Amino acid sequence: MKYNNNLLRVLAITVCAASLISSCKPKNAGSAVDAGAAAKAYVPPGKYDQFYNFVSGGFSGQMSVYGLPSGRLLRVIPVFSVDPEKGYGYSEESKPMLNTSHGFVPWDDLHHTELSQTNGEIDGRWVFGNANNTPRVARIDLTTFRTAEIIELPNSAGNHSSPFITENTEYVVAGTRFSVPPDNVNGDVPINTYKQNFKGYISFISVGKEDGKMDLAFQIECPGVNFDLSHAGKGKSHGWFFFSCYNTEQANTLLEVNASQKDKDFIMAVNWKKAEEYLKAGKGRKVAAKYARNRYNEKSHTATSEILNEVTVLDAKELKDICYFMPCPKSPHGCDVDPTGEYIVGSGKLAALIPVFSFDKMQKAIADKAFEGEFEGIPVIKYDAALHGEVKKPGLGPLHTEFDGKGFAYTTFFVSSEVVKWNIKDLAVVDRVPTYYSVGHLCIPGGDTKKPTGQYLIAYNKITKDRYLPTGPELAQSAQLYDISGEKMQLILDFPTIGEPHYAQAAPADLIKNRSVKFFKIDENTNPYVAKGEPEAKVVREGNKVHVYMTSIRSHFAPDNIEGVKLGDEVYFHVTNLEQDWDVPHGFAVKGAANAELLIMPGETQTLKWVPNRTGIFPMYCTDFCSALHQEMQGYVRVSPAGSNVPLTFSIGTNKPAADPVPAAAAPAK
Ligand code: K7E
Ligand code: CUA
C-alpha cells in the first residue's frame, strides 16, 4: 500500500510531539547488527535452507521464493503477470491462464500469499495468491512451483482481503476492497450514489480436498465499505472469519480525509458455518455473473479457460446472524488471529493503540445482544463487550501482526519503522527493534497458523534509502530477517526482494522438497502436438497455419531446417523436450518473433506462435545453456513470398536437393 506522505508526516509529527516515542526514525542504522549475527543467517555453499519463503511481488504480479535463513532467491513464480523469461502468458499453452471476463489480462498486483493448511498447520501442498486489480485468486502447486489454477471473482474490485484460508483449506476467502455496484445491475450510476448503490462482496472459494480445484461456493453481500484484510478463526473460532473494514464513512472521493473521519471503523466477524447452513437451507439466491476459471493440466501441459455464469449470494442484511461488526479504531488494516483462535488483533493505521478482541467475549456479546446499534442492517457489537484489551502506546502506524506460538505477538509499525513484540495476555510491550524502513507486512514461519515456528521473523520494508547501492530513482524493496528465538529480537540479515513485497509466508523445507517434481514423464504427455521422439517430428500445413512438431534434446532440434513457410502464414512451433532428466530445460527462440522465448521442461510440450513479416532466412536457437554443444543447438526457417511455390520441407542432418531454382544472388560461387 502507498500512503500519503503529508498526512503521515502530520500524523507522525503530532504523535511524536505528544512524546509517545522520542524519534520516528530509528537511529544508529549502521550499528544495529552485532558481529555474531551474520553467522546465524549463513548457510554454507552446498547446504540447503531450512525454510521456503513465499513472498508476494506486489506490483510485479508474481511470487518469489527465497530460502531462509540465507535470503537466497530460489525462484520467481509467474502468477498474474506474463513472464517472457519462462514464456508464461506467451506460449499458446499458458495464455489461457491469464484469461478473464475482461479478456486476456497480462498484469496484476499480488499482495498476499497463503499456504494451504491441514488441522491449522501448513501442509506444504499449495500456496495461494490474490490479484488486486482484476479480482482473482491463484493456486500454485508446490510440487511444480507453477500456477495451477486461477479463478476470477465477480461483484468485486480491488481483491485485497484475500486469499486467506480456513484451517483445513475448506475455503479460500476474499473480500472486495473497493465496493462497487454488483455485476448484475446497471452500474452506470453517479459515483456519488455510493451509499445507495455500492455493495461489498465477500467470496468463499471452496478447495478440492485432494486436487485443490477451486469453485466459487458462495458470496455474501455486505454493506458498501472497503474490506482491507482478513484472517480465519482457528481452534475455538474455526467457523468464523474476520475482516478489517475502513471507509465506513462510505466516502467516494478524497478518502485520505473523508474516510478518516470516524473514530472507529469495524472488524467484521463472519460466521461462515452459519452461512453454509443457510446455503443448505436454500437461502442463497442465484445471480447472473461472468467470471473466468483457468486450469493448467500437467499432463497435456496446457491451460484451459472457462467462463462461468452464476454465483450464489447470501444477503447479510436479511440473514441477521452471519455478520457482525466490532468497532475498531481508525481505519484498521491488518486483522490477525492468534494461534489459539481466541484473540483477534485489529491494526488501525491511524490509531495510537492496538485493540485486541476476545472471541469468547464476542460470542457472549452476541448471545446477550450487547449491540450498540446497526450499520446498514448489520448488528454492531459494543466495543467494550468484545474487547480483551488495548496495547497502549505501541508505536506509530500499526499494520500487521504475527505470532510466535509462545504467547507473544509481533506488530509492524509503518510510520515509526519498527517491529514491536508484545504479550498477548497482559498486552505489555516487551521488545522493539527498528526496521529500515517503513515496514509493511511481516512473516513468522507458520505465524498465522496454530503452530508457529518461533525462530525467525522477516520484516518486509517499503523503503531502503541508504541500505543498498543506489540504482537510480527506484531502490530495491527489502526484507530483513530477525532471530526471535531469544527474549530480544536480533537483526541478522537484509536481502532485496522482487517487486514490492506485501504478505509472505514460509514453510519448513521438509514439507515441500521431497515432493518436488523432477521432470514430466514423456509417456504421459497428452499435448495434442507432442512429438514423443524424433521420428514423430514433422511439419504440417493447414491452410495458412504451419504446425511444426519439433523435438529438442542435447544438442539439436528436429527438424532444424524448414522451408516452404510463406508470408501470411502463422507458424506454431510445438517444441517437445525429450529429456528425462532433472533440470535439463531447453529454450526456443526465433528471430523477429513478437513473442517471448519458450522454456520447455523435460517431458513437456510448449508452443510458440510466430508470424513472420518478411522473407528470408530466420535462425532459431536454444536459449538455455543445456550442454557443451548448446551453441550448436540451432536451426533455420526459410520464409518465401506469399505466392511462392517452394514446397514445405523439413529435415535434420540431410541436405535435401534445392527445392527451387537458386536465386542468382544466393548462388554458390563455383
Ligand atoms: Cu499491508 Cu496490500 Cu497486505 Cu501491503 S498490504 S503492506
Ligand atoms: Cu538446449 Cu541449449
Side-chain angles (χ1 to χ4, degrees), residues 1 111-112 160 229 333 399-400 440-441 462 502:
M1 101 223 62
H111 282 222
H112 304 123
H160 194 260
L229 278 148
H333 186 61
L399 290 186
H400 298 284
H441 274 275
K462 307 298 186 186
H502 296 261

Side-chain angles (χ1 to χ4, degrees), residues 585-587 622-627 630 633:
H586 291 289
C622 173
T623 52
D624 185 311
F625 209 110
C626 52
S627 59
H630 154 80
M633 196 164 174

Side-chain angles (χ1 to χ4, degrees), residues 154-157 175-185 193-202 220-227 250 285 313 315 317 376:
N155 300 316
S156 302
T176 193
R177 171 172 156 213
F178 307 116
S179 286
V180 285
D183 292 355
N184 68 334
V185 303
T193 61
Y194 186 112
K195 285 184 188 170
Q196 300 93 283
N197 290 322
F198 291 32
K199 300 287 173 212
Y201 277 74
I202 307 291
I220 302 177
E221 184 182 302
C222 298
V225 295
N226 287 38
F227 292 98
Q250 300 185 302
R285 96 181 171 267
V313 174
D315 189 336
K317 227 190 280 184
E376 300 269 318

Side-chain angles (χ1 to χ4, degrees), residues 552-557 577 579 584-588 621-627 629-633:
S552 61
I553 195 160
R554 283 162 284 181
S555 302
H556 57 269
F557 293 108
N577 180 346
E579 309 283 353
V584 190
H586 291 289
F588 178 83
Y621 73 102
C622 173
T623 52
D624 185 311
F625 209 110
C626 52
S627 59
L629 296 175
H630 154 80
Q631 286 296 83
E632 280 69 19
M633 196 164 174

Side-chain angles (χ1 to χ4, degrees), residues 48-207:
Y48 286 152
D49 276 293
Q50 207 179 332
F51 293 95
Y52 287 97
N53 187 198
F54 299 92
V55 183
S56 61
F59 46 68
S60 84
Q62 318 296 42
M63 199 183 285
S64 47
V65 186
Y66 297 83
L68 293 178
S70 72
R72 300 190 282 212
L73 175 63
L74 304 176
R75 185 152 191 85
V76 177
I77 303 171
V79 185
F80 293 115
S81 296
V82 295
D83 182 358
E85 182 204 31
K86 301 176 186 75
Y88 181 82
Y90 293 93
S91 70
E92 295 306 298
E93 284 81 359
S94 63
K95 278 178 184 170
M97 289 305 287
L98 298 176
N99 191 40
T100 72
S101 66
H102 303 268
F104 180 85
V105 171
W107 169 89
D108 217 297
D109 182 16
L110 193 164
H111 282 222
H112 304 123
T113 62
E114 183 87 348
L115 287 152
S116 56
Q117 294 181 18
T118 301
N119 299 324
E121 291 181 47
I122 289 168
D123 61 22
R125 301 204 290 166
W126 306 299
V127 59
F128 297 85
N130 68 316
N132 246 319
N133 185 47
T134 303
R136 284 167 290 167
V137 167
R139 176 173 56 88
I140 289 135
D141 184 335
L142 293 180
T143 65
T144 57
F145 281 65
R146 303 218 281 199
T147 303
E149 189 174 15
I150 292 179
I151 189 167
E152 190 181 359
L153 300 171
N155 300 316
S156 302
N159 172 41
H160 194 260
S161 45
S162 163
F164 296 98
I165 66 171
T166 54
E167 69 180 28
N168 287 298
T169 319
E170 294 95 337
Y171 294 108
V172 174
V173 178
T176 193
R177 171 172 156 213
F178 307 116
S179 286
V180 285
D183 292 355
N184 68 334
V185 303
N186 177 15
D188 179 16
V189 295
I191 296 169
N192 65 13
T193 61
Y194 186 112
K195 285 184 188 170
Q196 300 93 283
N197 290 322
F198 291 32
K199 300 287 173 212
Y201 277 74
I202 307 291
S203 303
F204 284 76
I205 301 162
S206 61
V207 179

